[in-house]
């Protein structure tokens, strides 16, 4: 059975994944809307560079991203100096630092499904709402968001699962502090390093089963929405 430290790591990982997913769904919505339907205005040329930045965590090694986040949040980094000047100390090796790292690393897993969902809307639903004298905000809330629900489901599931299983970034920026920054992936590593394979099996097997169930449920949900 999992010991107390393993259960603490599970609880911390779930809290981190829930917070990361909720924040990314809120902050990712306007970003995804602009990337999908921002038009060709004065800032239209920025969409391609921003898309590239959003997707970079998909190709960057986690240790590289974690290292630069650690430098930025550390005592000599720009963010670290700012937080120290405000009396907050440094954010590295804290839950807040873990959260920041998870937000950056899981960003494309939440934003990209939202972009795909908004792009798939087409022009007709919003044009129909405009003919009924709906304001752009009303059309967004009552037309675009309901139609983009599958994208939100996919983004929430992928963001949560990806955050729950991350290792490189969280280890680099959060370290290995029991009850504060030690998440499931780090706890598994500790068990293996100590040759505690039985404890590692409990956590690794749980993650394996969770990943399969989540992806299976997502595929089944998407399959039901595909017309015959």
């Amino acid at each position: 059975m999992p010991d107390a430290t393993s259960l603490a790591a599970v609880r911390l990982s779930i809290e981190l994944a829930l917070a990361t997913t909720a924040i990314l769904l809120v902050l990712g919505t306007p970003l995804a809307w602009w990337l999908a339907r921002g038009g060709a205005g004065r800032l239209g040329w920025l969409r391609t560079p921003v898309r590239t930045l959003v997707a970079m965590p998909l190709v960057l090694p986690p240790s590289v991203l974690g290292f630069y986040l650690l430098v930025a949040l550390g005592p000599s980094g720009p963010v670290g100096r700012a937080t120290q000047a405000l009396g907050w100390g440094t954010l590295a090796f804290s839950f807040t630092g873990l959260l920041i790292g998870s937000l950056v690393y899981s960003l494309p897993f939440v934003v990209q499904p939202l972009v795909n969902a908004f792009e798939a809307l087409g022009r007709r639903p919003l044009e129909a709402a405009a003919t009924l004298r709906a304001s752009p905000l009303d059309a967004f809330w009552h037309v675009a968001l309901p139609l983009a629900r599958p994208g939100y489901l996919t983004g929430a599931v992928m963001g949560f699962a990806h955050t729950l299983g991350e290792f490189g970034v969280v280890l680099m920026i959060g370290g290995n502090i029991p009850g504060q920054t030690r998440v499931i992936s780090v706890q598994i590593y500790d068990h293996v390093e100590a040759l505690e394979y039985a404890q590692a099996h409990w956590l690794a097997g749980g993650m394996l089963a969770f990943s399969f169930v989540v992806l299976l449920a997502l595929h089944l949900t998407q399959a039901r929405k595909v017309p015959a």
Side-chain angles (χ1 to χ4, degrees):
M1 292 292 293
D3 55 16
T5 57
S6 296
L7 292 176
V10 171
R11 183 174 62 253
L12 181 67
S13 298
I14 292 174
E15 292 174 358
L16 178 64
L18 286 173
T20 299
T21 304
I23 293 172
L24 283 178
L25 286 174
V26 173
L27 298 182
T29 294
L31 175 60
W33 182 259
W34 178 71
L35 289 175
R37 313 182 67 87
R42 288 182 300 173
L43 299 180
W45 64 273
L46 278 175
R47 288 211 306 278
T48 298
V50 171
R51 276 180 182 264
T52 303
L53 287 173
V54 169
M56 279 187 70
L58 295 173
V59 297
L60 270 179
S63 56
V64 172
L65 184 58
F67 169 72
Y68 282 113
L69 285 171
L70 179 61
V71 170
L73 299 179
S76 300
V79 178
R81 287 196 298 268
T83 54
Q84 288 178 99
L86 293 170
W88 300 344
T90 58
L91 301 180
F93 306 111
S94 68
F95 181 82
T96 303
L98 280 185
L99 181 59
I100 293 172
S102 298
L103 289 173
V104 174
Y105 195 60
S106 294
L107 180 66
F109 292 88
V110 176
V111 170
Q112 193 54 54
L114 299 184
V115 171
N116 294 340
F118 288 144
E119 287 179 338
L121 291 178
R123 301 175 59 90
R124 285 189 177 180
L126 298 180
E127 289 175 348
T131 62
L132 296 174
R133 299 184 180 178
S135 69
L137 187 58
D138 285 335
F140 176 77
W141 281 106
H142 297 105
V143 178
L145 281 186
L147 292 175
R149 192 174 302 157
Y152 278 89
L153 175 62
T154 301
V157 169
M158 296 302 295
F160 183 88
H162 184 259
T163 303
L164 199 64
E166 173 48 27
F167 177 73
V169 170
V170 294
L171 180 61
M172 187 72 73
I173 198 171
N176 190 1
I177 306 173
Q180 297 182 44
T181 63
R182 183 185 291 173
V183 293
I184 293 176
S185 55
V186 178
Q187 184 67 59
I188 293 173
Y189 177 81
D190 284 350
H191 283 317
V192 172
E193 198 172 41
L195 302 181
E196 298 169 349
Y197 289 157
Q199 294 292 337
H201 273 306
W202 276 103
L203 291 176
M207 287 295 296
L208 182 65
F210 169 79
S211 300
F212 176 79
V213 170
V214 164
L215 291 176
L216 178 63
L218 185 60
H219 287 312
L220 290 175
T221 302
Q222 292 174 338
R224 288 196 195 102
K225 295 181 186 224
V226 175

